[in-house]
Amino acid sequence: QHLEASGCVLSTITDYARTLRRLTKFLQQEQVESFRMLKPEHITPFIASVASYHGRSVAALLSELRQFFHYLYLNGYHEKDLSLFIPKSNILRSREHLPSIWSPEDLEKILGCVDIGNPIGKRDYAIILIACRLGLRCTDIKGLRFENFNWAEKKLCFVQSKTKQPMELP
C-alpha cells in the first residue's frame, strides 16, 4: 500500500513483494516470527543465501531491503534502522552490465541480423529501430498499439509506463 501510494508501478511493487516473500521464508526457517524480532545478525545470512544471484538482481534486492528496513524504522515497526546494516552493491562499478551506449557500427550489425523478408522480421526490425533511435523502455515498446502512431503528424504518442508521463516523439 505504501509503494502504491508513493506512485510506484505494478512491476516495482511485484519486485518488492518477491523480495519480501524470500525474506519472510528465510526468517521463518530461522524461527523469527515477526519483523520486530529481526536482528542485524539475521541479515548477513539472508544476503549470503542470495549472493549467487546475478549481480544486478543482488543489487536490486539490497536496495529493496534497504528501503523496506528504513520503512519499518520510520513507521515504528522496528526500534532500529536495519537499513544501515545492508551493504552497498558495487555492481555499477563492475563490467557486468550491458553498455548504455552502442556504437553506430554495432547497431548496424544488430539490424543487419534481422530477416526483413517476412512480416515477423519486419516487426522485429521496427521494434529494434524504436529502441535504438528513440530510446524507449522495453515496457513502453511492448505496450505500443497501432493507435499510438499519429501518421498525419508523423509522431508516436503514448503514456510512459514507469513515469505515467505523456510522451510525443517524432
Side-chain angles (χ1 to χ4, degrees):
Q1 290 172 341
H2 170 73
L3 293 174
E4 193 174 302
S6 299
C8 291
V9 295
L10 180 60
S11 61
T12 300
I13 295 170
T14 302
D15 291 343
Y16 274 80
R18 183 181 316 111
T19 295
L20 294 180
R21 279 193 302 275
R22 286 179 182 148
L23 176 63
T24 302
K25 184 177 179 181
F26 177 84
L27 293 175
Q28 286 173 341
Q29 293 170 348
E30 299 292 314
Q31 278 74 45
V32 177
E33 297 175 10
S34 77
F35 289 121
R36 287 195 189 282
M37 296 174 56
L38 188 61
K39 296 181 179 166
E41 51 266 23
H42 296 118
I43 296 171
T44 302
F46 174 69
I47 293 171
S49 75
V50 297
S52 64
Y53 293 4
H54 185 273
R56 286 187 176 266
S57 297
V58 173
L61 184 136
L62 293 176
S63 174
E64 292 158 3
L65 286 176
R66 198 174 295 110
Q67 291 182 46
F68 176 65
F69 290 153
H70 192 63
Y71 169 84
L72 291 178
Y73 174 69
L74 290 177
N75 290 278
Y77 296 112
H78 203 282
E79 62 187 16
K80 292 183 181 175
D81 186 357
L82 297 176
S83 69
L84 302 173
F85 295 92
I86 305 294
K88 301 286 185 199
S89 171
N90 291 329
I91 190 66
L92 296 177
R93 289 187 216 129
S94 78
R95 292 281 177 197
E96 192 182 336
H97 67 279
L98 295 173
S100 59
I101 299 174
W102 295 75
S103 72
E105 295 80 23
D106 288 339
L107 294 175
E108 289 304 319
K109 286 179 189 176
I110 292 169
L111 290 168
C113 292
V114 180
D115 177 12
I116 56 173
N118 64 63
I120 293 173
K122 289 178 182 176
R123 178 209 57 200
D124 293 348
Y125 191 83
I127 290 170
I128 295 169
L129 278 178
I130 288 172
C132 293
R133 298 215 176 130
L134 300 178
L136 266 62
R137 293 181 182 95
C138 294
T139 55
D140 290 333
I141 294 172
K142 184 178 167 187
L144 289 177
R145 300 291 174 256
F146 192 75
E147 54 268 15
N148 295 120
F149 293 88
N150 181 334
W151 300 107
E153 295 183 27
K154 298 181 180 179
K155 290 183 181 180
L156 176 59
C157 306
F158 63 99
V159 176
Q160 296 179 50
S161 62
K162 183 174 181 176
T163 64
K164 306 295 184 223
Q165 297 297 313
M167 177 72 72
E168 282 190 14
L169 298 169

